[in-house]
Amino acid sequence: MTQKARTSTAIPRSEHEELLEAMLVDVPELSFTPRGDPDPRLVRLARLLGEQMARQDFAAQAIRRGSRRSR
């Protein structure tokens, strides 16, 4: 790899600083408590992922059922 190729993929310093600032949010990180009062954002994320997985599974089953009937 040449020096020219390496520098062309570098992030400009101002953009790099903007990215760092964007990552530093005032909201505390997600936390997980094994019992008691879980972080509501984690609960919502788990529900969204579960719903997405259920939709994908349902669609896959429908496709499989459709291919069996067409035989």
Side-chain angles (χ1 to χ4, degrees):
M1 182 187 264
T2 65
Q3 181 67 25
K4 185 177 181 181
R6 276 188 235 142
T7 57
S8 65
T9 59
I11 298 174
R13 185 163 189 77
S14 60
E15 187 176 342
H16 180 71
E17 290 171 359
E18 288 178 26
L19 288 170
L20 285 175
E21 288 176 13
M23 291 190 309
L24 301 174
V25 294
D26 294 333
V27 179
E29 290 184 18
L30 292 175
S31 60
F32 176 75
T33 54
R35 294 184 184 177
D37 189 24
D39 191 316
R41 295 172 294 173
L42 284 176
V43 173
R44 180 71 181 136
L45 176 62
R47 284 188 180 137
L48 287 171
L49 291 174
E51 290 169 4
Q52 180 182 10
M53 191 176 0
R55 280 191 298 272
Q56 289 172 346
D57 186 55
F58 183 81
Q61 287 180 16
I63 290 170
R64 277 185 259 144
R65 286 184 191 135
S67 65
R68 288 181 192 158
R69 291 179 183 166
S70 63
R71 290 183 187 177

